[in-house]
Amino acid sequence: MIRRLHLKLPVETFRSIQLWLTVTPLTLAPLFFGSVDQLSVAIWSVLLSISTLIGALGPLSVARRRLLFAFLAFSLAYALVAIAQVAPNLIEHLDDPIWRRANEVLGLNALPRISSRAEIPPDAIGHFLLLVTAFVSGFLVATSRPDGDMLIRFARYSILAYAIYGLAALVLTPNLLLWAPKLAYRGSLTATFVNHNTAATLLGAGAILWFCLAYQSLQSLQYASIRLLLLIPSNERVVFTVILHTVAGLVCFVALLLTGSRGGLICTALGLLVAIVLMVTNRLRRRFWYVAGFGSLALALIAGWLGQTGRIGSKGLLDDARWSVYEYCIEAIRQRPLLGAGAGTFADLFPSLRADGFSRWGVWDYAHSTILEIAVEMGIPIAAMVVVAAAASLIILVRAALKSKDHSRNSLAAIAGIAVLSYLHATVDFSLQIPGYLIPFAVLLGCGLARATSEPTPRRSGRTREFIAVGTGRTPEPTSVELSSQP
């Protein structure tokens, strides 16, 4: 007994360390300007790497092991392509012509490479490590259901805190970003981020988490009619909880509106719609076509409302400059479709793509479409692999949410909604390339996929006991116990 206790204590201690090493970057990564500096990226990478190594010591089910290995295989393929791009004299006809020109003009003897850089940029390496370690860390932590619930709870409250700060800062210090002068997006809520679009995605994720929690609390109410709702004493506390959760969701949503982000608002509305449909589908017990009809009607109403809202109604979804950048990216992809121009080289490549008539204002260090930027830098095969992985993760979350019967259904629906929000927004902006949002998203995605691949919990159901009359002298037969595969 003492030996078992000694073995249990280190396991619990390591699990606790792993949890807090994941919670720290999850909650603090957005705090200091979105953690875009190299020091912040290095700190979060170290913490998440330690958390991942601790979690790797624990056992995993077959389904979870397969999913984790698939993610690591995708990550390895991405890394191998990035390494091949900087390897000298690898594939001659794919080498960047800049090396030949540099040798001719400057008299150098540089070895040609596929990439326009001799080495992979540190930012590209850091962001890749953040994605891998944040996802795997969130996945391994969530193999314990209480720890997974803790991750979601910390994400929910931290995003609410950023929303409250953003509202207060917009009123009290509109010309400051934390302690620094606010140089861009004055008049818009940016919370602790430089870009209002990144703030919008984080706040949208918070709104989805809080509204799903409010619905989960609402499900525990017991009433036969609205008139009798508050006559049941046990309902009073639940109603108060529902109100608090709804208010928290509204705070995040109002903060999202004040960012002025068109893409953030539309993608959040679609993600919230997906989460709501997943939560109410089985509860309403309607056929698929009823659910599809309800979703289509809601989508039409959301599209009509958003079409008349703020900057969307006056300027449309995308501006002309962004469409022009997308055209330049497509042209760059046509020139290098197989292995791309090199990881992290978009900012170096884009000036050569700009036409004379393109606006010279501003610096385009992002393509404002993560998937297009991946295709430019890494090639079409890697971009297609990323799309397949994103679609597969969404399918796994949706199927698990539809099959779940307990409170995990709402958390799975919320994470599926956040995935829809993030994937859609990544097609028109670069929020997933900012560590302050990349880390919370990757941790929550890993948490959701770990929960989606959890083994069904056995439930004991006993046969009806035989009634024995007192005084008959018979001994009752032992009751057999059957294991049900229903979760």
Side-chain angles (χ1 to χ4, degrees), residues 450-464:
R451 182 158 294 184
T453 52
S454 61
E455 298 290 343
T457 304
R459 188 176 66 181
R460 295 180 177 272
S461 60
R463 294 178 182 174
T464 305

Side-chain angles (χ1 to χ4, degrees), residues 102-364:
N103 290 338
E104 293 175 353
V105 174
L106 301 177
L108 301 177
N109 191 25
L111 297 176
R113 296 168 171 81
I114 297 172
S115 174
S116 58
R117 284 181 174 238
E119 298 176 350
I120 304 174
D123 287 342
I125 297 175
H127 292 181
F128 175 77
L129 288 177
L130 282 180
L131 173 63
V132 174
T133 55
F135 176 87
V136 176
S137 183
F139 186 92
L140 295 176
V141 169
T143 56
S144 167
R145 174 163 293 194
D147 290 349
D149 292 338
M150 188 73 71
L151 284 180
I152 298 174
R153 189 177 303 117
F154 270 99
R156 191 184 297 122
Y157 279 100
S158 64
I159 296 175
L160 177 62
Y162 288 119
I164 294 173
Y165 167 77
L167 292 170
L170 187 62
V171 175
L172 301 177
T173 57
N175 296 324
L176 290 178
L177 178 59
L178 294 176
W179 57 83
K182 193 172 186 179
L183 303 178
Y185 304 109
R186 290 191 176 185
S188 297
L189 187 149
T190 60
T192 57
F193 292 94
V194 176
N195 189 283
H196 68 150
N197 294 306
T198 310
T201 51
L202 183 72
L203 296 171
I208 293 173
L209 287 171
W210 279 108
F211 284 136
C212 290
L213 181 64
Y215 178 80
Q216 178 181 336
S217 303
L218 186 63
Q219 285 181 309
S220 61
L221 285 176
Q222 301 174 359
Y223 60 94
S225 67
I226 298 298
R227 183 176 300 177
L228 298 177
L229 176 62
L230 294 178
L231 295 181
I232 303 176
S234 61
N235 282 342
E236 294 181 5
R237 183 176 180 181
V238 177
V239 170
F240 184 69
T241 302
V242 171
I243 293 174
L244 288 179
H245 293 166
T246 305
V247 169
L250 289 174
V251 168
C252 292
F253 193 77
V254 169
L256 164 64
L257 291 175
L258 292 176
T259 62
S261 171
R262 296 165 288 178
L265 179 58
I266 293 175
C267 296
T268 297
L270 295 176
L272 184 58
L273 174 62
V274 169
I276 291 174
V277 170
L278 290 176
M279 288 188 296
V280 304
T281 298
N282 284 357
R283 187 166 181 82
L284 295 178
R285 296 183 180 179
R286 301 295 185 186
R287 294 182 179 180
F288 170 78
W289 296 111
Y290 289 149
V291 177
F294 167 76
S296 301
L297 177 61
L299 183 61
L301 292 175
I302 290 174
W305 172 64
L306 291 175
Q308 305 299 321
T309 300
R311 296 178 65 208
I312 302 173
S314 60
K315 298 184 179 180
L317 177 59
L318 297 176
D319 50 69
D320 294 336
R322 194 168 301 194
W323 281 118
S324 299
V325 172
Y326 294 165
E327 293 176 0
Y328 301 151
C329 289
I330 292 173
E331 181 60 29
I333 294 169
R334 288 175 181 171
Q335 295 175 5
R336 307 175 185 185
L338 187 59
L339 293 179
T345 61
F346 176 83
D348 301 328
L349 177 66
F350 184 74
S352 65
L353 302 175
R354 299 173 70 145
D356 295 335
F358 186 75
S359 173
R360 298 186 181 277
W361 182 87
V363 177
W364 288 79

Side-chain angles (χ1 to χ4, degrees), residues 85 94 114-115 336-342 374-380:
Q85 290 172 335
L94 294 180
I114 297 172
S115 174
R336 307 175 185 185
L338 187 59
L339 293 179
I374 291 174
V376 170
E377 294 183 350
M378 306 298 295
I380 293 178

